[in-house]
Amino acid sequence: MVIKSLHLQVQEMRQSFFDEGYLNSQYTQLEALAKDTNPNFIIEIITLYFRDSPNGARSNRGTHDYQMHSSVRKQQRQASYNIFVICIGASKVFKELQKANTSLKASNTEGIKVALGDIKKEHSKLRAKFETYFQLMRQAGPTDVAVNSS
């Protein structure tokens, strides 16, 4: 009974990601890929995302002269981060990345600073949500439990 309740909580939490606009259909596609091959794939890929993604934003934090970095390097870093965010379906983070990219293209230093803060905020919210979600998933265990038909 407790396991069934935990699985229901996992489902409700997952749905809240979509209802609140944190995730989109890309995440559903990742889940479908993982189901047959590696049930821990989602946890692994999202954990990698959170482990690696702050590095790009951190390297810009505190830098007041944004022109010190070449625009090509920034755009490459931005593009690779965007691709990963798109792959996991992190909608809110992606929207903030688009704002930053617009400010970058316009050489709007203040806009970039604001956008980096907003990216960090959305990234932190998503990370906290996923940490709770994954913890609940681990507690609930696998969803495909064999049923005794006799």
Side-chain angles (χ1 to χ4, degrees), residues 3 7 12 21 24 33 41 48 54 56 63 72 75 86 89 91 100 102 110 114 120 124 128-129 140 146 150:
I3 298 296
H7 284 286
E12 289 171 351
N24 63 27
L33 285 172
F41 178 73
L48 280 173
T63 304
V72 171
Q75 288 175 353
I86 291 167
S91 302
T102 300
E110 280 306 309
V114 170
K120 184 177 178 182
S124 294
K129 286 180 173 290
S150 52

Side-chain angles (χ1 to χ4, degrees), residues 4 29 32 35 38 52 62 77 89 93 96 99-100 102 111 113 115 124 126 136 143:
K4 196 169 194 160
Q29 291 175 7
K35 219 174 225 186
N38 178 1
D52 295 342
R77 189 178 319 140
V93 175
E96 296 305 328
K99 290 178 189 175
T102 300
K113 288 178 185 178
S124 294
L126 186 62
L136 191 58
T143 55

